Amino acid sequence: MAKALIVYGSTTGNTENVAKQIGLILAKNVHKVTIQDLRTTTMEQLGNGYDITLLGSSTWGDAEIKIQEDFASF
């Protein structure tokens, strides 16, 4: 069974919801999924023991990508 880590930074909660939806899809496809907030994640956890690591960040306006506040210090 493949292991997936989904780490999200979410200002309004939308990115968190998308992370959970992706997690459900991966879990249906025989993946063991860990979903966690970036604020509780360490650099050592990224990729450590996981086959898949996904990072999710917020966008603004017309999908304008800026550094989401949680990722800025990470």
Side-chain angles (χ1 to χ4, degrees):
M1 175 183 306
K3 291 176 61 179
L5 172 64
I6 302 173
V7 179
Y8 65 87
S10 188
T11 302
T12 63
N14 291 332
T15 305
E16 177 181 5
N17 290 333
V18 170
K20 290 177 180 178
Q21 291 174 19
I22 292 170
L24 289 173
I25 292 168
L26 290 174
K28 286 181 184 178
N29 290 294
V30 195
H31 287 78
K32 182 176 183 211
V33 180
T34 301
I35 302 171
Q36 59 190 56
D37 192 314
L38 180 70
R39 293 175 291 183
T40 62
T41 304
T42 64
M43 288 295 284
E44 292 76 27
Q45 288 176 288
L46 296 181
N48 190 7
Y50 294 96
D51 301 296
I52 302 166
T53 300
L54 302 173
L55 303 175
S57 179
S58 305
T59 61
W60 287 265
D62 294 327
E64 181 180 340
I65 297 176
K66 295 182 180 179
I67 295 177
Q68 195 270 343
E69 60 194 34
D70 296 336
F71 278 93
S73 62
F74 194 69

